[in-house]
Every structure is written in structure tokens, then in C-alpha cells.
Amino acid sequence: MFVTPFSFANQPAWVVRSNELAQPVLQAQARYSPEQASANGQEEFDTAVADLGPHLYERRKADSDKLLLKLKAERTVETDPKVREDLDILIGAVKDDEQTQLLQRQNLLQFINVAQVVYYGLDAVLEPRNKPERQAKALVRLNRYAGLEPGYRPLADLARERTEDDLKRHGLTGPYIEDIKQQLENTDAMLKGIREDFTNAKVKGWEQPYAALEQQLHAYTEWARQAVLPRARNEARQPPAIYADELKQVGVPIGPDELIQRAGADYQEVLGQMNAVAGRIAAEQHLPSSDYRDVIRMLKKQQIAPADMLPHYESRLKQIEAIIRREHLVTLPAREAHIRLATEAESASVGSPFMNPPRLIGNTGEYGEFVITVTNPHAQSDAKMDDDTHQAASWTLTAHEARPGHELQFDSMVEKGTSIARAIFAENSANVEGWAVYCEAMIEPYMPLDGQLISLQSRLLRVARAFLDPMVNTGRITPARAKQMLIDDVLMSEPTAQSEIDRYAFSSPAQATAYYYGYTQLRSLLTQTQLALGKGFNLQAFNDFIVDQGLLPPTLLKLAIEQEFVPEQLALMAKGKVAGK
């Protein structure tokens, strides 16, 4: 079945052609990970379940090799430069995935977090943004997860067999013990989230297959405690080839040593800026200390009541939108953004505020959501998670997650339309998170002083991530020492610091470095474009162009700026016009 992205947007011919070429890649991805396909919006896979059958690696490798031959053949005959660029994105995505599969097979003892796979697979179909007829398909997927439909076996049994295959192979590195423990602890939270999803969607007949699945997941958890925990490693450090590949996956092409060196220097620069702003706040408010730590502790006391959380963030968004329009920073859509509080399952799985993106294929009007988390079930103390719940913090968090950050970036792709290659296969953390941190810096000069200080605190965290994550993953610092630095010097609460360290050590190694790397690439590109255009440079036109490119990685975005944006702006300047006003 042919699927089209952004169904209510008019598509230029090159996008239509590119999307045709992307279909085999989408189908190949969906064959093994239909849950991700559902999240992307491919409804024809809503009842399918992850393929964990025997000889999984060999089957995926064979399919990838065939797909690469087909894509490369198309590349040799394609004449449209944009389509050729998208074919390069598709070829790169397939090759990168194949390399990742190989490295993991060579190095790692795989353990599959079945509870999380099942939760996300069902949540993608049951979520409130979907129509009731789509939500009803979750019942079929649930029965297949539980092995209650002919031709299907329980997913937990298949996952166990794949790990048992690896247990027979020598020389593989086991999962990090803290990762395994947390995954097993999360089982009940994932099951609760599934119950709530079915109940809220009012789907009938889920209770019996759910009871079977619940029993299977608890048995899988108990087996993992007996069979996998003894093989777990006690340190976060990963095999070097695995961490290098993880950096590449998130869009960071430089190694750990260079990251540590660059970010270590920038960390000191941000500290200096923070103390300067803190000094101004202390002088204005006659505070006893001007040290940034003391000033931030004072600001954190201005907590938002739980009942006021949503209204406060909605009001803050209105203030930021007014700044964007007044200063001509970027073009805003006419509709409102969506904000909500996280569920318990989302808090257990994610642990920090996030953007829940819209479906990017077959979209019929669904938009992204800025989701606020206020608890971390894995916190190791009773300390309050107060980092995003005080008034000054809402400035930078809203700019990052909502507008002009993630929500604008993703929903603009839906409204304006872009190719599948650029929306899905070009996506990495550097181009997504880099834009969001860039947006924080864009709004910062117009914030009040307290908002500026917390915005700088957020940037300090981005920079700290860029050296702490590689240090943890190369064994140069323990997770405990890195966590203490985040608490003492970045002024994070213990629950948020724990979520950060879990991210570095096991939940998403390398991903946290992409915020800093993507941000520095965009800021550098901004400077180069300003130099190229001089007094004719227009920030709104520049930012609109970046948003219009979808999720191009930094290298391709730089080419687009040089080959399209700058010549177009120079032509307008020659005619006495300035775009974006």
C-alpha cells in the first residue's frame, strides 16, 4: 500500500517522486518494527507486531542488501537534484542501520525490553489523537503480543529465545546492570499504562488478552532476573565501537575526546555568563549572595502549584509568541499549540518533559504535544523535582519544547509538507535538539533576567552533557560522580539528575551530546550566513528556511543554505527587496 505524508498539504513533484522511492525503505522498516511504523502514521501496520523470530539478524541483513542495490540503481538514473539528495539520505539510513545491527551482534548480549515495546506499540494506536476506528485495532495487536491469535507466539517467549541464543555465544558484553534493574522495575508501570490506554479509549474486550500478557511479562521479568542479571556488567562503559556508532546515530560525527575538549571550554564560558546575570538579579533584589547557585536556589522557591501548571505554561507560550511576532524571529502558525501533563507510564519511561510528535505519514490534522513531566519514579531520594515547576524555568522549557522549538519544527512539516526522506530518515537528535536549543538562545535576550539565568542554566546542562556523557561511556567518570556534579554545579534536583545519568549510562547513550553539537552547528551556520549577506541578512527568512527543510542533518542543511537560501536572498537584495518582513 502506498502511503503519503502530510495528506492535507500540496506536494511538489520532487516530493511525490521522492516519496515513491522511500516506500521500499518504509516497508522494510515496518516489517521488523511495525510499532515505529504505527507511530509514524502507517495505519496498515497497526495490527502487526515486532518480528523477533529465529535468524533475525540474517534476515534483516539480506533484506537490507537487496534494498541498497535497488536504491543505488535509482540514484544512478535520477536527474532531480532534490530527489538525488533524498536518495542519498535513504541509502545512508539503510547503510547506517545495517552497520548498527552488525556492531550490536558482534559486541552485545541483547536483552529486549518487552514491556516497553508492548506499551509503546499499543499506546501509538490507542492515543487520544487517533480516531476510534484506529484505536480499535489495538485489540488485534494485543492478542498477537500475547500469542492468542493463530500463527503468533507470545512476544515475551520470542524475546527470551533471542537472548538465550546470545547467551550461548562467547565474548559478548552484557547489558549494564542498572539498565536491567530499571527495565524490570518498569514492567508494572508499563502494564498500568496499557490498562489506562484501553480504558480511556473505551475499547471493548481487552481484559482477557491483557491478563494473559500481564502473566507473560511477569514471567519474562522473573526469567530475566535469573538468567540475564548474572551476565550484566557492573560499569556503564561500553565497547568503544558501540559508543562511536551511537554518536554517529544521533548526528555527532566527532569522537569522545574532541567532544570533551570542546564542551569543557564552553562550559567555563557559560558559567561566566551565568554569574554576570546572577549578579544583576542579586543587585536588583538586594540578595545576600550573587553566586549563580544561590540565585537559582532562590528562583526555585517560586514554585507553580500543580493545579496551575497547565494554565501557567499556556500563558507563558502566549508571551513567547508575542515576542516572536514583535521581533520577527520566525513565522508562527495561526493555530494554538497543544500542552498536557505526562501520564505515570510516560514519566517512568521518559523522565523529563518532551515533545510528543504528530504522525508524519497520512496526517489528517493531528498535531504534536508538549508533555510536562513533574515526577521521576526512579528518583533515589524524596527530593522534589523542582527544575521545571518554577516560574523562571517555564521560559526556556516552553521555547524548547513548544514554540519556536520542537512543536513548530514538527508541525510545520505537517502543514507545509516535506518528503518522507527528510521527515523520517534524515531525523537525528542533532538536527532536532540542535534546533530547540538554538530557539532557547533566540528567545533568551527578550526574557526577564530570571528567565535569562535559567535559560543559561539550561545551556550549561547541554554543554555539561557533551562531556559527561562521553566520560561516563568511556569509563573516565562514574555515573555517581557525574550525577553529583549535575546537582552541585548545574543545580539540578536529585530526581532530574538521576534521569540525566540514566540517559547517559543506559537509556540513550550519546543522545544527550547532540543538543550541544547541533546547537553549535546552527550557530556557526547563522554566523556564516550573516557574513555572506551582510546588512541584507534577515533572521526571520533564515529561520523560516531552516524550518522548511524538514529535519536535514547539519551537513545537508549547510549545503541548502549555501546553494539555495543565500543566492535567493542576494537576488532579492539586488531587486531592493528583503524577505521575511
Side-chain angles (χ1 to χ4, degrees):
M1 176 179 178
F2 181 74
V3 291
T4 57
F6 330 116
S7 56
F8 55 88
N10 293 323
Q11 301 291 346
W14 76 266
V15 171
V16 174
R17 172 60 179 157
S18 173
N19 289 345
E20 291 173 352
L21 295 170
Q23 295 306 305
V25 189
L26 282 172
Q27 299 297 315
Q29 182 187 70
R31 188 175 304 121
Y32 296 101
S33 301
E35 292 84 358
Q36 182 59 54
S38 290
N40 289 340
Q42 295 171 257
E43 293 188 31
E44 70 270 32
F45 294 101
D46 282 352
T47 60
V49 299
D51 182 350
L52 298 181
H55 309 295
L56 180 58
Y57 171 77
E58 291 81 3
R59 290 186 289 114
R60 291 188 68 167
K61 175 69 164 59
D63 286 350
S64 293
D65 289 343
K66 292 177 184 176
L67 188 56
L68 282 172
L69 288 174
K70 179 178 176 62
L71 292 171
K72 289 176 179 178
E74 296 285 2
R75 180 65 171 80
T76 61
V77 297
E78 182 56 53
T79 57
D80 188 296
K82 284 186 174 293
V83 178
R84 287 202 307 270
E85 191 172 70
D86 279 10
L87 278 165
D88 289 338
I89 290 171
L90 295 171
I91 291 169
V94 175
K95 291 173 67 175
D96 288 348
D97 180 69
E98 191 173 274
Q99 178 68 7
T100 296
Q101 296 296 325
L102 173 62
L103 289 171
Q104 290 181 349
R105 178 170 176 78
Q106 291 174 335
N107 290 276
L108 300 180
L109 168 66
Q110 68 172 326
F111 174 71
I112 300 163
N113 188 351
V114 179
Q116 185 162 289
V117 171
V118 169
Y119 167 70
Y120 279 119
L122 295 170
D123 184 69
V125 183
L126 289 167
E127 67 158 281
R129 291 177 293 181
N130 292 336
K131 294 180 173 61
E133 54 268 28
R134 187 181 185 200
Q135 292 175 325
K137 296 179 182 179
L139 185 59
V140 178
R141 181 171 271 179
L142 173 62
N143 276 282
R144 292 178 175 179
Y145 279 143
L148 300 179
E149 186 175 310
Y152 291 85
R153 295 180 57 209
L155 194 69
D157 289 353
L158 292 168
R160 175 175 174 171
E161 290 172 4
R162 300 292 73 76
T163 300
E164 287 175 338
D165 289 343
D166 279 359
L167 286 168
K168 298 172 186 176
R169 299 168 56 216
H170 299 292
L172 299 180
T173 300
Y176 180 40
I177 191 166
E178 296 301 326
D179 185 12
I180 292 293
K181 287 179 178 178
Q182 191 171 114
Q183 289 185 34
L184 302 183
E185 289 170 2
N186 277 350
T187 297
D188 287 333
M190 299 296 104
L191 284 165
K192 182 180 179 181
I194 294 169
R195 283 199 310 271
E196 291 174 346
D197 278 353
F198 273 108
T199 301
N200 294 336
K202 296 181 172 57
V203 174
K204 304 297 183 183
W206 61 271
E207 291 85 356
Q208 182 178 353
Y210 171 86
L213 177 70
E214 181 179 34
Q215 185 177 12
Q216 293 163 6
L217 290 180
H218 282 147
Y220 182 74
T221 297
E222 185 56 36
W223 164 80
R225 287 196 177 98
Q226 301 298 320
V228 182
L229 271 180
R231 287 288 301 273
R233 67 184 193 271
N234 290 318
E235 61 177 3
R237 180 170 53 187
Q238 298 193 84
I242 293 295
Y243 187 61
D245 184 64
E246 288 169 340
L247 285 170
K248 181 181 177 182
Q249 288 178 52
V250 301
V252 179
I254 60 177
D257 291 342
E258 188 172 352
L259 267 175
I260 293 168
Q261 182 179 20
R262 285 191 193 182
D266 288 346
Y267 183 83
Q268 296 300 325
E269 295 294 327
V270 179
L271 279 178
Q273 296 173 46
M274 290 177 70
N275 271 315
V277 176
R280 293 176 62 190
I281 295 173
E284 287 185 3
Q285 300 188 23
H286 307 290
L287 301 178
S289 171
S290 62
D291 184 275
Y292 78 91
R293 300 171 184 84
D294 295 325
V295 177
I296 290 175
R297 291 187 185 103
M298 182 274 296
L299 293 176
K300 280 191 172 189
K301 294 178 181 178
Q302 300 170 10
Q303 290 290 305
I304 308 164
D308 297 332
M309 194 68 67
L310 274 178
H312 175 86
Y313 270 92
E314 289 168 347
S315 174
R316 185 68 82 218
L317 177 59
K318 296 297 182 186
Q319 291 176 281
I320 291 175
E321 288 177 325
I323 291 170
I324 293 170
R325 292 188 178 99
R326 185 189 72 221
E327 302 297 332
H328 303 286
L329 300 178
V330 68
T331 300
L332 291 173
R335 54 168 183 79
E336 294 186 354
H338 297 264
I339 307 175
R340 66 172 174 85
L341 296 177
T343 65
E344 183 177 337
E346 287 171 329
S347 295
S349 180
V350 182
S352 59
F354 62 94
M355 167 67 182
N356 188 24
R359 58 185 289 183
L360 295 178
I361 294 176
N363 193 295
T364 57
E366 301 90 345
Y367 291 103
E369 302 172 312
F370 168 22
V371 184
I372 305 168
T373 56
V374 293
T375 62
N376 177 10
H378 305 295
Q380 297 180 4
S381 75
D382 295 329
K384 180 177 174 57
M385 192 172 175
D386 60 2
D387 307 88
D388 303 313
T389 55
H390 64 97
Q391 295 180 21
S394 59
W395 282 99
T396 194
L397 183 60
T398 304
H400 182 104
E401 300 291 353
R403 293 177 181 173
H406 291 323
E407 188 271 346
L408 176 65
Q409 185 181 40
F410 275 87
D411 287 349
S412 291
M413 288 193 293
V414 169
E415 292 173 328
K416 299 177 182 178
T418 191
S419 66
I420 289 171
R422 293 168 191 243
I424 294 175
F425 294 105
E427 179 188 355
N428 59 43
S429 291
N431 54 34
V432 173
E433 301 299 350
W435 167 256
V437 180
Y438 170 86
C439 289
E440 294 176 12
M442 187 196 313
I443 301 299
E444 180 198 323
Y446 309 104
M447 298 177 187
L449 285 177
D450 60 350
Q452 289 182 31
L453 180 59
I454 301 306
S455 186
L456 287 168
Q457 181 198 21
S458 178
R459 195 173 312 154
L460 190 73
L461 170 62
R462 318 301 188 199
V463 179
R465 285 171 168 172
F467 60 80
L468 290 178
D469 187 295
M471 290 178 74
V472 166
N473 280 282
T474 56
R476 305 182 205 194
I477 191 173
T478 65
R481 176 68 188 94
K483 177 183 175 181
Q484 198 59 50
M485 178 191 178
L486 292 175
I487 293 173
D488 294 342
D489 298 329
V490 186
L491 273 292
M492 303 183 79
S493 67
E494 188 280 326
T496 304
Q498 186 61 51
S499 178
E500 278 291 310
I501 293 305
D502 291 348
R503 182 194 299 213
Y504 310 162
F506 56 84
S507 65
S508 191
Q511 190 271 343
T513 67
Y515 293 71
Y516 167 79
Y517 183 80
Y519 165 72
T520 59
Q521 295 302 295
L522 271 176
R523 295 285 277 191
S524 175
L525 188 56
L526 172 65
T527 300
Q528 295 170 51
T529 309
Q530 288 172 329
L531 285 170
L533 296 176
K535 293 181 179 180
F537 174 80
N538 181 273
L539 182 60
Q540 181 173 345
F542 176 79
N543 289 333
D544 286 350
F545 183 86
I546 290 174
V547 171
D548 289 346
Q549 303 313 300
L551 299 177
L552 282 184
T555 51
L556 292 180
L557 183 58
K558 184 174 185 293
L559 285 176
I561 290 287
E562 292 173 347
Q563 297 175 4
E564 297 178 47
F565 179 74
V566 170
E568 290 171 0
Q569 294 296 298
L570 289 172
L572 286 172
M573 291 163 58
K575 296 177 181 179
K577 299 178 181 179
V578 179
K581 291 291 187 182

